[in-house]
């Protein structure tokens, strides 16, 4: 199975560096809409057979240009939504951002029982995303499956489920809005740890259209904290 994970386009709260994870969430900025419009060209060489989005508005808007290009109707699944910030929701102070990232670090080190403050555990997050991947695999059409999801969710799931990620490699340090991660899964092993192989990680925005993870000091510090101390995924 070929799986293409795309982060949504830029939102107003991305600019403000807020932990915005609740449904339905905001739409896209004008830049975010331009990023979304650049996605079809970025995937022109892919044979795509299915398109999934999360329950957050920003993924549906991001998927629209690709859906029109391919003549596909996106399938909406709650399992693809962002990792809940719980009691940290809509906060952007350094302490809150670091608490969110520290929990993700614990998950990637194997402590999946750890919980986001007032929210879900790593086990919960993996289970819900895995369920969507398993559904797609069971109904796999000809071609790749595209899932438009979220920055933290893609980083965590791809980092935990792939067998070849190396967080010390700067290639994996950025996953900006409309960044694209392509994975190949072994038949029947897709949901198991090590069952996926990251073929490519394009962390910059589709079409090179600005708005990177490192636009603000809080975002830069959070990204640095997330990748620190990781020798392997």
């Amino acid at each position: 199975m070929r799986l293409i994970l795309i982060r949504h386009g830029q939102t107003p709260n991305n600019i403000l560096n807020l932990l915005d994870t609740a449904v339905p969430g905001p739409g896209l900025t004008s830049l975010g809409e331009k990023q979304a419009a650049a996605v079809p060209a970025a995937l022109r060489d892919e044979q795509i057979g299915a398109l999934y989005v999360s329950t957050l508005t920003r993924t549906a808007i991001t998927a629209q240009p690709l859906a029109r290009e391919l003549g596909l109707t996106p399938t909406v699944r709650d399992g693809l939504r962002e990792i809940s910030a719980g009691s940290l929701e809509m906060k952007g102070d350094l302490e809150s951002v670091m608490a969110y990232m520290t929990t993700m670090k614990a998950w990637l080190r194997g402590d999946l029982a750890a919980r986001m403050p007032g929210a879900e555990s790593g086990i919960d997050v993996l289970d819900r995303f895995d369920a969507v991947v398993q559904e797609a695999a069971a109904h796999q059409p000809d071609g790749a499956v595209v899932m438009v999801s979220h920055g933290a969710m893609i980083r965590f799931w791809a980092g935990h489920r792939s067998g070849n990620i190396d967080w010390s490699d700067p290639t994996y340090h950025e996953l900006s809005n409309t960044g694209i991660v392509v994975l190949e899964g072994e038949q029947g092993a897709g949901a198991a740890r090590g069952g996926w192989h990251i073929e490519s990680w394009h962390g910059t925005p589709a079409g090179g259209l600005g708005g990177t993870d490192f636009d603000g000091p809080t975002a830069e510090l959070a990204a640095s904290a997330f990748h620190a101390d990781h020798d392997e995924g």
Side-chain angles (χ1 to χ4, degrees), residues 106-108 110-115 121-124 126 156 160-161:
W107 293 348
L108 284 168
D111 183 11
L112 294 175
R115 287 188 173 274
S121 69
I123 296 170
D124 298 330
L126 284 175
F156 171 51
H160 192 81
R161 290 305 191 208

Side-chain angles (χ1 to χ4, degrees), residues 52-69:
Y52 287 73
V53 298
S54 81
T55 46
L56 278 77
T57 303
R58 51 191 178 266
T59 64
I61 298 174
T62 302
Q64 284 175 358
L66 185 62
R68 286 194 298 267
E69 178 87 7

Side-chain angles (χ1 to χ4, degrees), residues 30-133:
S30 58
L31 174 59
E33 291 175 352
K34 292 175 183 176
Q35 291 170 337
V39 168
L43 298 178
R44 67 166 61 94
D45 296 329
E46 296 285 350
Q47 299 298 314
I48 297 167
L51 176 59
Y52 287 73
V53 298
S54 81
T55 46
L56 278 77
T57 303
R58 51 191 178 266
T59 64
I61 298 174
T62 302
Q64 284 175 358
L66 185 62
R68 286 194 298 267
E69 178 87 7
L70 300 174
L72 294 173
T73 299
T75 299
V76 181
R77 290 291 180 265
D78 181 68
L80 302 183
R81 63 180 163 78
E82 182 59 294
I83 296 170
S84 175
S87 60
L88 305 174
E89 183 69 18
M90 295 304 292
K91 294 183 178 180
D93 61 281
L94 180 59
E95 183 179 357
S96 297
V97 172
M98 293 306 295
Y100 188 88
M101 303 309 293
T102 297
T103 303
M104 288 184 61
K105 287 171 65 176
W107 293 348
L108 284 168
R109 288 176 179 145
D111 183 11
L112 294 175
R115 287 188 173 274
M116 282 292 176
E120 54 196 346
S121 69
I123 296 170
D124 298 330
V125 174
L126 284 175
D127 282 350
R128 63 177 170 84
F129 201 97
D130 283 346
V132 183
V133 174

Side-chain angles (χ1 to χ4, degrees), residues 3 10 12 55 58 72 115 120 139 171 185 199 220 232-233:
L3 183 60
Q10 185 191 70
T55 46
R58 51 191 178 266
L72 294 173
R115 287 188 173 274
E120 54 196 346
H139 302 91
T171 300
E199 181 178 293
E220 184 172 358
E232 60 184 37

